[in-house]
Amino acid sequence: MALTAVDSSIQALLNQLGIEEMNHGASTGSKWMATNGTKFESYSPSNGALIASVNGATESDYEAVIGQAQEAYKSWRTVPAPKRGEVVRQLGVKLREYKEPLGKLVSYEMGKSYQEGLGEVQEMIDICDFAVGLSRQLNGSTLHSERPAHRMYDQYHPLGVVGIISAFNFPVAVWCWNTALAWICGDVCVWKPSEKTPLTAIACQKIAAEVFAENNVPEGVSNLIISGADLGIAMSNDTRFPLVSATGSTRMGKAVSEAVGRRLGKSLLELGGNNAVIITPTADLKLVIPGVVFGAVGTAGQRCTSTRRLIIHESIYNQVKDSIAKAYEQIKIGDPLDESFHMGPLIDEDAVNTYLSAIEKVKAEGGKMVVEGGKLEGEAYASGCYVSPSIAEVENGYEIVQHETFAPLLYLIKYSGDVHDAIEIQNNVKQGLSSAIFTNNVRESELFLSAAGSDCGIANVNIGTSGAEIGGAFGGEKETGGGRESGSDAWKIYMRRQTNTINYSTELPLAQGIKFDF
């Protein structure tokens, strides 16, 4: 990686994270390969500055990384799970030390606000803490055999080499959601981050390598390859990856799922969301407004859990519309490292063009703009990546509404009748990640959470769609992919189940009473 002339504070930040002058795009831990593949340039969407350029990994680099990972797995899988957990605990400690600089780098390279950057690193710390406790609780079950003097039980073993393909919008947290659990389960990991955010990935790899070296963890347990889609496709088709975890668009996820499925591998998919909030007549608007506004404009609408649709009962529709529009007038947009701003830029100019195109499609289909955002001009927005957010009155059946626009575009949809009508509108999209209802009616809230309610993987009452706690399993249904990461029993995807039967008698009774006379 060749660093360019950047702001002195950012240069100091990169130095603090151990990112010095180099030209590396692949690593098996503390060992970095001098790669000469496609050059990826990392620009900050906050000011348009070229932060650095990184030479990507080639196919031969990929083969070298996989070979080292396979070798490392042979020894890592034999380390007791609590010992593996101790290494992850130390990673959490190290992340606490690096929280400020890493959070700032996330903000500078990706464009989310500094507070959100810090929050992302905190998610990494939290999942490390969760994984440490989990390392002593990878429980199976003891089962009763139908044969006398027999014992049955099931247990879990590591899978092997886990592939992780992550997106730009959460450039470090999603990696840690996967690795912290996979490592305590005894797997080794190969990470292909988004080519739009290579520096945060390099920083994480260096931090992990520092901890692993201190604990004599073999090279190849934590691996990094920076590349375009080519090596992501290779990972999906590679039988040496029993599991590929992929975060990104539905289009990308379908390609990964098809490739992995053809070889009967396992995939963990976290894909697009078209998340809705239902607002019923009894809703407390003091809760609604901040929840909706943050959900819609946080990370400039570039969260898979961002609020896209607001389904409002007709009796309070105008009141809610006016309140949301007024709140949008107070949103401050600017440098994400300046904590006085609420919203930073989109990731790049392509994202800006996609956003502007979506607004035009809304109007072409008959939508009415309540707040029409657009590209921001001026010296403070010279990167060309800043936009102001939009609100539009639409029908749920509009073609553009049926698709996820990864930008701060909020749709207002009116419903009449009871909450069943609102739930039907909410569920009538192809995606199924996050959902929420604001109500003070216990029957409405319980219905929303029932089998006849929200069809999403996440369903909230009186909080928004955006954000999730580490302790719960994160993921969605339908075209969101059906995967689960982070808390609860999400660890099981990283392991294989084995059923064992032990005969401690002097005879060999067969199951179902079958007898052979010899």
Side-chain angles (χ1 to χ4, degrees), residues 1 9-20 22 32 94-95 97-106 108-109 121 172 199-210:
M1 179 183 66
S9 65
I10 300 300
Q11 182 68 66
L13 169 65
L14 296 173
N15 293 339
Q16 184 178 352
L17 290 168
I19 304 177
E20 63 279 351
M22 59 184 183
W32 292 78
K94 191 70 68 174
L95 287 170
E97 296 174 10
Y98 284 114
K99 181 176 178 178
E100 182 177 337
L102 184 55
K104 186 174 290 186
L105 183 60
V106 168
Y108 188 67
E109 186 176 38
V121 180
V172 296
L199 298 189
T200 49
I202 290 172
C204 288
Q205 178 71 352
K206 281 184 161 287
I207 292 169
E210 185 178 336

Side-chain angles (χ1 to χ4, degrees), residues 66-298:
I66 303 306
Q68 186 63 58
Q70 288 182 302
E71 190 63 29
Y73 173 62
K74 295 176 183 178
S75 59
W76 183 244
R77 65 186 175 184
T78 67
V79 176
K83 296 293 185 183
R84 298 191 296 252
E86 169 58 19
V87 176
V88 172
R89 184 193 68 79
Q90 292 180 36
L91 175 61
V93 172
K94 191 70 68 174
L95 287 170
R96 285 174 170 86
E97 296 174 10
Y98 284 114
K99 181 176 178 178
E100 182 177 337
L102 184 55
K104 186 174 290 186
L105 183 60
V106 168
S107 176
Y108 188 67
E109 186 176 38
M110 183 269 151
K112 64 177 58 177
S113 72
Y114 178 46
Q115 286 301 314
E116 289 184 87
L118 292 175
E120 184 167 347
V121 180
Q122 186 61 50
E123 287 191 33
M124 301 171 75
I125 294 168
D126 291 343
I127 195 64
C128 286
D129 289 350
F130 179 86
V132 173
L134 187 63
S135 68
R136 295 180 181 270
Q137 300 180 62
L138 302 175
N139 301 321
S141 301
T142 299
L143 310 170
H144 290 279
S145 173
E146 66 182 44
R147 291 166 286 186
H150 282 59
R151 181 167 67 88
M152 294 177 63
Y153 66 94
D154 61 22
Q155 61 177 325
Y156 290 86
H157 294 304
L159 285 173
V161 183
V162 172
I164 302 168
I165 302 172
S166 63
F168 73 86
N169 61 326
F170 278 83
V172 296
V174 170
W175 166 75
C176 207
W177 283 6
N178 283 273
T179 53
L181 297 189
W183 284 333
I184 62 104
C185 289
D187 300 315
V188 302
C189 299
V190 177
W191 180 23
K192 194 205 88 62
S194 169
E195 60 271 26
K196 296 180 181 181
T197 51
L199 298 189
T200 49
I202 290 172
C204 288
Q205 178 71 352
K206 281 184 161 287
I207 292 169
E210 185 178 336
V211 174
F212 282 22
E214 293 170 354
N215 288 273
N216 297 315
V217 174
E219 289 286 326
V221 173
S222 176
N223 303 278
L224 174 69
I225 52 171
I226 293 172
S227 74
D230 55 335
L231 293 189
I233 294 171
M235 291 169 69
S236 300
N237 286 283
D238 195 333
T239 57
R240 292 172 292 184
F241 288 96
L243 170 66
V244 175
S245 173
T247 303
S249 68
T250 297
R251 178 186 57 80
M252 180 275 285
K254 286 181 176 180
V256 171
S257 178
E258 289 171 6
V260 176
R262 278 194 301 270
R263 60 180 177 84
L264 299 181
K266 299 168 69 176
S267 58
L268 196 172
L269 303 175
E270 298 292 354
L271 311 177
N274 198 348
N275 314 298
V277 173
I278 295 172
I279 303 177
T280 73
T282 65
D284 185 344
L285 296 190
K286 295 192 301 296
L287 303 179
V288 168
I289 304 306
V292 168
V293 173
F294 173 73
V297 306

Side-chain angles (χ1 to χ4, degrees), residues 381-426:
Y381 312 118
S383 69
C385 299
Y386 288 89
V387 299
S388 56
S390 296
I391 303 173
E393 294 181 285
V394 301
E395 297 293 334
N396 198 61
Y398 288 0
E399 176 66 18
I400 186 62
V401 176
Q402 290 289 306
H403 300 280
E404 179 185 47
T405 298
F406 222 52
L409 176 54
L410 177 65
Y411 300 123
L412 305 185
I413 302 167
K414 185 185 298 184
Y415 82 94
S416 57
D418 62 18
V419 73
H420 292 88
D421 300 303
I423 292 172
E424 183 177 353
I425 293 171
Q426 180 206 275

Side-chain angles (χ1 to χ4, degrees), residues 439-478:
T439 179
N440 283 330
N441 184 316
V442 68
R443 290 192 175 98
E444 290 179 337
S445 64
E446 289 296 332
L447 174 64
F448 183 74
L449 301 177
S450 74
S454 171
D455 64 1
C456 296
I458 299 170
N460 299 326
V461 176
N462 291 331
I463 62 171
T465 63
S466 190
E469 292 187 34
I470 287 300
F474 179 89
E477 301 301 321
K478 301 188 291 188

